[in-house]
């Protein structure tokens, strides 16, 4: 680093402030601007593409979760229907067993009345 005095002397002798670019350096920088702009554009496009991909992936995850929920609801619905059918068959079986029990009791009563005669 230069002291203030050295910087002033250098500025007076060279005609430019210490640390500032020369005209040639400025021309080189300007020449590099399109390349730098291309790099910025590519980086921006890459960022935008990454965001799009991220949004697509999130959308797919949402659709997958929704599909899984719909499948789960369908399975639960089928299970409820099966349970209801099973309950109905159980009730029918119970009624049938009651009729059989009554029929058996009637037959036993007939046999007992025949046996008493």
């Amino acid at each position: 680093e230069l002291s203030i005095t050295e910087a002033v002397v250098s500025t007076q002798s060279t005609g430019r402030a210490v640390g500032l670019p020369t005209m040639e350096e400025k021309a080189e920088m300007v020449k590099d601007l399109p390349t730098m702009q291309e790099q910025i554009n590519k980086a921006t496009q890459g960022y935008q593409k990454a965001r799009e991909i991220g949004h697509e992936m999130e959308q797919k995850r949402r659709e997958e979760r929704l599909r899984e929920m719909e499948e789960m609801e369908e399975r639960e619905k089928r299970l409820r229907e099966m349970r209801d059918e099973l309950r109905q068959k159980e009730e029918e079986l119970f009624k049938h067993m009651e009729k059989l029990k009554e029929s058996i009791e009637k037959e036993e009563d007939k046999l007992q009345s025949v046996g008493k005669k």
Side-chain angles (χ1 to χ4, degrees), residues 35-95:
T35 305
M36 293 170 70
Q37 188 61 46
E38 286 174 16
Q39 291 173 342
I40 291 169
N41 290 345
K42 285 180 184 177
T44 302
Q45 289 171 353
Y47 171 75
Q48 289 172 341
K49 185 66 175 173
R51 281 188 55 179
E52 289 174 16
I53 291 170
H55 287 304
E56 289 172 7
M57 290 174 65
E58 183 60 30
Q59 182 65 27
K60 286 179 183 177
R61 281 193 290 269
R62 278 193 213 111
E63 290 171 359
E64 180 67 19
R65 284 193 301 264
L66 181 61
R67 187 182 60 74
E68 288 173 355
M69 287 174 53
E70 289 171 348
E71 288 175 357
M72 185 69 76
E73 288 173 358
E74 187 62 33
R75 283 194 295 269
E76 288 175 358
K77 179 182 172 188
R78 283 197 308 265
L79 282 173
R80 282 192 300 273
E81 290 170 353
M82 290 170 68
R83 187 185 63 226
D84 291 345
E85 286 178 29
L86 196 58
R87 188 175 297 128
Q88 183 180 358
K89 289 186 185 293
E90 185 180 35
E91 289 173 8
E92 290 172 6
L93 185 60
F94 182 76
K95 288 177 185 175

Side-chain angles (χ1 to χ4, degrees), residues 2 5 14 16 28 30 48 51 91 104 115:
L2 299 175
T5 307
T14 61
R16 69 179 185 89
E28 196 64 31
V30 169
Q48 289 172 341
R51 281 188 55 179
E91 289 173 8
I104 290 171

